[in-house]
Amino acid sequence: MAEHNLDNIDLNEYPYINRGLEGIVGFSTTKSSIDGQKGELIYAGYNIDTLAENATFEEVCFLLWNDRLPNQKELDELKSKLTQKRELPQPVLDYISSTNKEAEPMAVLRTATSMLADFQSRNTGDKNKDNQSDAITLAAQMPTIVAAFARARQGKEIVSPLKDGSTAFNFLYMLNGEKPGSEAEKTMDLCLILHAEHGMNASTFTSRAICSTESDMFSSITGAIGALKGPLHGGANTAVMNMLLELDKDPDTADPVEFTKKKLASKEKIMGFGHRVYKTFDPRARLLRGMSKSLSEETGHTTLYEWSEAILKTMKEEKDIDPNVDFFSATVYYSIGIEPDLFTCIFAMSRVSGWTAHYLEQADNNRLVRPRALYIGEKNLEWTPVEKR
Ligand code: CMC
């Protein structure tokens, strides 16, 4: 592969070049705003701290889809629609139970989400209404997919969703086969709220780019799941847990400070740290840090939390880099008994609210996404016949 060294290129000729599209604004949005200097995150007007303290995930979904909070009637209607739509079509369930049990849960979620498109009947004749209905379907069914695969791969019976209860409650019920307590439901609900929306990250960009070709919402969300899966994006929460579990292999001699320094010395990235936009503590990481601390105290298993704090301190001292949302969410999910390779799926189950909100916004005010690439290859080479190459 050619080395992409741009040293000899006159960049004045290409004023718009920006690797990784850093700082480039390609869309306007009412869905969220991030102030990377202040460490502030706003969803459709509301500060994340306000939402974390007061909202439910269903209210956040409505907020992102409609740019305002629902009244009681609207909230009840949304909850009822989510409840009605949670069951998966039988062929999707058949796929989940018959696929490779060793498959990555995010890969299964991506495939099953794509399959959902085959089972939608759209007959309202109103594209916007159909899109809104698809958004509810996706938010309702993605948790069912995740829980179903988590059980199927262990040879357990798949648990059908209940006819009532929140997204958080149903997910934990379908995952564990028993109704969760109110604290576990609250923790899960808060995690869903904190991951719902986050500006023009890679997966949201993907969902909008697909929407911009006038493709359907299921294609857009399938692509977004693929983008989220990578360890530089949503896959980081699983990678954080794997890092902590690596330390836990020999807990008596584990030294998180030396472990971190060693990784940094060998130019390895520490997962769950750093961010393109935040240059200070991610506000979601602050909230999750508090949750991680209290959960570890409640369960009496404080070691992983203490190691996390030691890693955080070392990263600040050595690199002046703060944690992002994925760092403490790992120990929070682990404390409530969720298997590490499901963490990114939970991120997706929540972020689908933001992705679909962006889809609706893009569809409403569309222009094809079509950036340029700087060609650094040769031109007009002479053709050599195959036998002479
Ligand atoms: N560990 C060690 N060094 C880091 C880290 C890290 N986690 N993150 C950034 N750096 C260093 C990096 O090595 C580079 O140093 P230098 O200038 O000396 O080469 C500098 O900070 C800038 O990093 P970058 O990778 O060029 O920054 P970016 O804006 O392209 O990448 C990032 C942002 C999130 C991909 C990166 O910080 C990273 O790889 N973090 C670890 C993976 C992670 O936690 N991802 C989740 C992101 S937040 C949740 C989400 O949106 O999905």
Side-chain angles (χ1 to χ4, degrees):
M1 295 292 270
E3 242 193 71
H4 287 230
N5 183 345
L6 307 186
D7 290 350
N8 298 325
I9 306 264
D10 178 5
L11 291 180
N12 290 325
E13 277 186 38
Y14 302 95
Y16 304 116
I17 280 194
N18 213 324
R19 289 192 72 225
L21 299 181
E22 179 165 2
I24 302 288
V25 174
F27 309 91
S28 53
T29 184
T30 55
K31 303 305 163 191
S32 65
S33 147
I34 304 167
D35 185 324
Q37 302 299 328
K38 276 204 254 170
E40 179 183 82
L41 171 60
I42 306 274
Y43 293 175
Y46 293 88
N47 191 292
I48 194 67
D49 293 324
T50 306
L51 294 170
E53 202 180 322
N54 299 288
T56 60
F57 178 60
E58 287 72 17
E59 282 175 297
V60 167
C61 289
F62 189 100
L63 172 67
L64 291 172
W65 290 332
N66 299 283
D67 292 329
R68 63 176 178 83
L69 290 172
N71 61 32
Q72 190 62 57
K73 184 166 168 276
E74 288 166 329
L75 183 58
D76 291 344
E77 264 171 27
L78 173 59
K79 284 185 185 166
S80 149
K81 283 183 188 163
L82 285 165
T83 303
Q84 285 162 30
K85 289 185 169 204
R86 281 196 181 111
E87 291 271 2
L88 295 177
Q90 191 56 45
V92 178
L93 279 170
D94 292 344
Y95 156 68
I96 291 171
S97 12
S98 61
T99 194
N100 181 2
K101 309 241 173 310
E102 303 297 319
E104 290 177 83
M106 276 295 276
V108 175
L109 177 63
R110 186 194 57 219
T111 303
T113 299
S114 179
M115 283 182 79
L116 295 180
D118 303 354
F119 303 94
Q120 309 308 316
S121 52
R122 292 184 191 76
N123 42 24
T124 66
D126 177 337
K127 220 171 177 187
N128 186 43
K129 251 192 184 161
D130 288 341
N131 285 337
Q132 292 201 13
S133 165
D134 287 348
I136 297 174
T137 304
L138 282 155
Q141 298 191 346
M142 281 172 55
T144 317
I145 293 171
V146 178
F149 180 62
R151 290 183 72 83
R153 69 175 176 173
Q154 293 178 349
K156 292 181 181 162
E157 207 174 311
I158 290 174
V159 175
S160 297
L162 295 167
K163 297 279 172 250
D164 57 10
S166 68
T167 303
F169 184 91
N170 259 281
F171 173 66
L172 291 173
Y173 168 71
M174 291 186 287
L175 187 68
N176 300 320
E178 54 189 53
K179 293 182 179 177
S182 61
E183 278 309 306
E185 180 188 3
K186 209 164 155 234
T187 302
M188 179 52 64
D189 196 57
L190 193 44
C191 289
L192 295 177
I193 291 171
L194 296 179
H195 288 83
E197 164 58 12
H198 206 236
M200 202 42 57
N201 54 81
S203 56
T204 302
F205 176 82
T206 305
S207 74
R208 282 190 86 129
I210 294 175
C211 173
S212 84
T213 69
E214 297 190 359
S215 185
D216 66 289
M217 192 181 271
F218 291 87
S219 302
S220 159
I221 303 311
T222 302
I225 295 170
L228 186 75
K229 182 171 175 286
L232 294 189
H233 192 6
N237 52 15
T238 297
V240 169
M241 201 62 231
N242 290 339
M243 180 174 77
L244 293 170
L245 293 176
E246 198 182 318
L247 271 171
D248 201 31
K249 275 187 194 148
D250 194 356
D252 295 336
T253 60
D255 182 343
V257 174
E258 278 315 305
F259 176 88
T260 309
K261 285 185 180 171
K262 223 167 134 187
K263 276 193 183 290
L264 290 177
S266 59
K267 300 268 173 236
E268 267 183 73
K269 281 194 169 164
I270 306 293
M271 291 292 135
F273 284 86
H275 202 275
R276 180 65 66 76
V277 185
Y278 290 118
K279 298 304 162 208
T280 180
F281 224 95
D282 179 332
R284 302 165 302 169
R286 189 171 27 75
L287 291 158
L288 286 158
R289 183 189 198 178
M291 287 162 77
S292 177
K293 183 171 191 288
S294 30
L295 279 166
S296 73
E297 284 165 358
E298 270 166 40
T299 55
H301 300 298
T302 54
T303 314
L304 295 180
Y305 171 73
E306 282 159 10
W307 287 345
S308 303
E309 286 292 345
I311 294 171
L312 184 148
K313 192 161 172 277
T314 314
M315 282 299 280
K316 193 71 191 164
E317 285 167 2
E318 297 290 315
K319 298 282 285 184
D320 195 20
I321 298 181
D322 292 302
N324 57 52
V325 70
D326 291 316
F327 191 60
F328 284 106
S329 64
T331 37
V332 168
Y333 295 144
Y334 197 68
S335 300
I336 56 171
I338 292 171
E339 295 167 283
D341 66 350
L342 298 180
F343 293 179
T344 317
C345 294
I346 297 175
F347 194 154
M349 274 159 44
S350 158
R351 185 57 60 84
V352 67
S353 58
W355 292 331
T356 48
H358 277 275
Y359 183 101
L360 294 167
E361 190 173 52
Q362 180 71 27
D364 222 25
N365 189 18
N366 189 38
R367 185 153 194 245
L368 178 71
V369 172
R370 205 319 183 176
R372 300 281 302 271
L374 169 65
Y375 178 68
I376 55 159
E378 296 184 81
K379 285 184 175 170
N380 300 320
L381 294 173
E382 260 183 44
W383 180 254
T384 314
V386 68
E387 62 281 7
K388 295 200 174 157
R389 282 177 226 153

